[in-house]
Structures are given as C-alpha cells and as structure tokens.
Amino acid sequence: DTGVSQDPRHKITKRGQNVTFRCDPISEHNRLYWYRQTLGQGPEFLTYFQNEAQLEKSRLLSDRFSAERPKGSFSTLEIQRTEQGDSAMYLCASSFGDSPLHFGNGTRLTVT
Amino acid sequence: EDQVTQSPEALRLQEGESSSLNCSYTVSGLRGLFWYRQDPGKGPEFLFTLYSAGEEKEKERLKATLTKKESFLHITAPKPEDSATYLCAVQAAGAGSYQLTFGKGTKLSVIP
C-alpha cells in the first residue's frame, strides 16, 4: 500500500493560465474523490468517480473545472483560465466501496 | 444542507492534560461520522468512523463518541506528537450520496 499519490505537490501559475493535476489512487480502490481546502477551512467536496464514471459533482465545480478518470485508474483535474480565487490545496482521496477515504498530501495551487 | 461545527477552533494543552474536542452536526439522516487528523502541509489521515448514537471507538490516547447531535474526541494524557488539526466530517444517508461535509477543524497544540 503506497498510499494516494498526487503530482505536482506545488504549482504556481499566472492568472488566466490552465493547470492540470494528477492523482494516483491506492491500486485496488474503485472510488476516487477530489476535494479543495483553503487556509483555516475543512476540505470541500468537488467531485466523485466510481471506476471511470463521474457520478457526483459539487456546485463548486464551475465550468472551468473538469475531471477525468480514464480506465478507472489515475485521475486528472484541470482548471482552465485560473483565477486568484482558485488558490487552494487540491486533495485527492480514494476508497474501496464504503471504506473510509484515504487522502493524498495534495497539490497546493497558487495563482498570481 | 448538511452542517458541521467544531469547537474550540484552537486548543493548547500541557502534556498530560486531558481534554475533549466537540463536533456538532446537522444532517438529513446520518450514514457515518468521521474523525481525521491533519498535520501541516499534509492530507487528512483517517482516525475513526462512527455510525450510530452510543457508539464509541478508541485508538491509543484517543476516544471518539457519538450522540444524535454531536460527537466528542477525547484525548487522554496527550503528548506533543498529538499536536495537529482534528477534522470532523459527516456523510448523509441516501442513495448516491458519497460526499463528506467537513467542519473547519480544531487545531490542537500540546506543550511539553
């Protein structure tokens, strides 16, 4: 069990640029989640995949955000035309069925 | 709308000084209540899941309890390595609901 892996750990980008983050879940986990966390707040749900199907999306996920999980393995989260308000820690988590979520250490995004 | 309120926001304890953290919640039917620990710059680490009022779980110096409206995380004789932010989250019952709603956390500092 190597845990949930996220890449990159840090990303600094200029406003208006596109960014993409990658998440590699624990290998036998069929469920994958994306959360966003800002300083002093708890994580906020963004979206959820079961295998390759995206089954649930938060209202927080504007049309500038898109997530994919091709072949039900790794996942990517893309943010287009970044805004300063997108600066946050983006957390990925995975689980097998209804087991508790295991989180990665996140990608910290700074939009300048 | 599901809500989770944690108190206090921050807590400083002397090593060995026992205390409790509170998590109050409102949810349309509880599927599960979760406690996580988060160290600076890292993702949340799973501690406990509680499913029904009256349930208790223990792990080393930590004990989590659940009532119909709140949960407590009791810390007995804490050590400096227990310093972290403790997050509480709820999952609502209902078909297709997989997201967790988190509180803002309690930042615990244990002073030697």
Side-chain angles (χ1 to χ4, degrees):
Chain A
D1 179 357
T2 57
V4 177
S5 177
Q6 292 190 246
D7 185 70
R9 288 298 315 278
H10 304 276
K11 178 72 176 178
I12 300 173
T13 191
K14 292 185 177 180
R15 188 162 47 104
Q17 297 294 304
N18 299 343
V19 293
T20 299
F21 311 139
R22 177 180 171 121
C23 171
D24 287 275
I26 293 171
S27 57
E28 65 269 22
H29 285 185
N30 61 336
R31 294 182 178 176
L32 187 145
Y33 312 77
W34 285 98
Y35 282 77
R36 180 173 69 186
Q37 186 176 26
T38 53
L39 199 61
Q41 303 294 315
E44 295 175 296
F45 172 80
L46 292 178
T47 191
Y48 155 72
F49 290 85
Q50 180 153 308
N51 300 312
E52 67 276 9
Q54 188 174 19
L55 297 184
E56 197 171 355
K57 290 198 293 187
S58 164
R59 291 186 300 257
L60 294 175
L61 212 65
S62 77
D63 56 7
R64 296 185 297 106
F65 288 69
S66 62
E68 294 183 343
R69 192 183 182 199
K71 303 179 183 178
S73 56
F74 70 93
S75 176
T76 58
L77 178 68
E78 181 183 14
I79 309 174
Q80 295 183 328
R81 305 181 302 282
T82 52
E83 301 172 357
Q84 287 190 318
D86 297 331
S87 295
M89 174 80 85
Y90 289 84
L91 293 164
C92 177
S94 69
S95 69
F96 181 74
D98 287 332
S99 67
L101 274 60
H102 291 260
F103 283 86
N105 285 328
T107 293
R108 179 164 295 284
L109 174 67
T110 302
V111 182
T112 61
Chain B
E1 183 178 326
D2 304 334
Q3 285 192 323
V4 177
T5 302
Q6 293 189 245
S7 62
E9 290 185 7
L11 181 63
R12 284 171 61 95
L13 298 174
Q14 292 291 322
E15 185 172 0
E17 179 186 3
S18 301
S19 188
S20 297
L21 313 182
N22 177 263
C23 170
S24 297
Y25 64 91
T26 55
V27 64
S28 53
L30 181 69
R31 176 179 284 181
L33 183 141
F34 304 83
W35 282 97
Y36 283 84
R37 168 193 171 127
Q38 187 171 29
D39 292 302
K42 296 200 171 181
E45 176 188 346
F46 171 73
L47 294 174
F48 303 109
T49 308
L50 301 166
Y51 294 103
S52 58
E55 189 173 2
E56 298 181 352
K57 294 273 181 75
E58 282 190 72
K59 179 180 179 180
E60 297 180 355
R61 296 176 292 283
L62 300 177
K63 178 180 176 180
T65 61
L66 181 65
T67 72
K68 288 187 177 179
K69 293 185 178 180
E70 57 191 350
S71 177
F72 292 92
L73 184 65
H74 307 278
I75 303 176
T76 302
K79 299 182 178 182
E81 53 262 41
D82 295 322
S83 298
T85 295
Y86 290 85
L87 296 165
C88 173
V90 296
Q91 184 180 20
S97 178
Y98 300 99
Q99 62 177 279
L100 299 184
T101 300
F102 281 85
K104 293 182 179 182
T106 293
K107 184 176 181 179
L108 174 66
S109 301
V110 182
I111 312 302

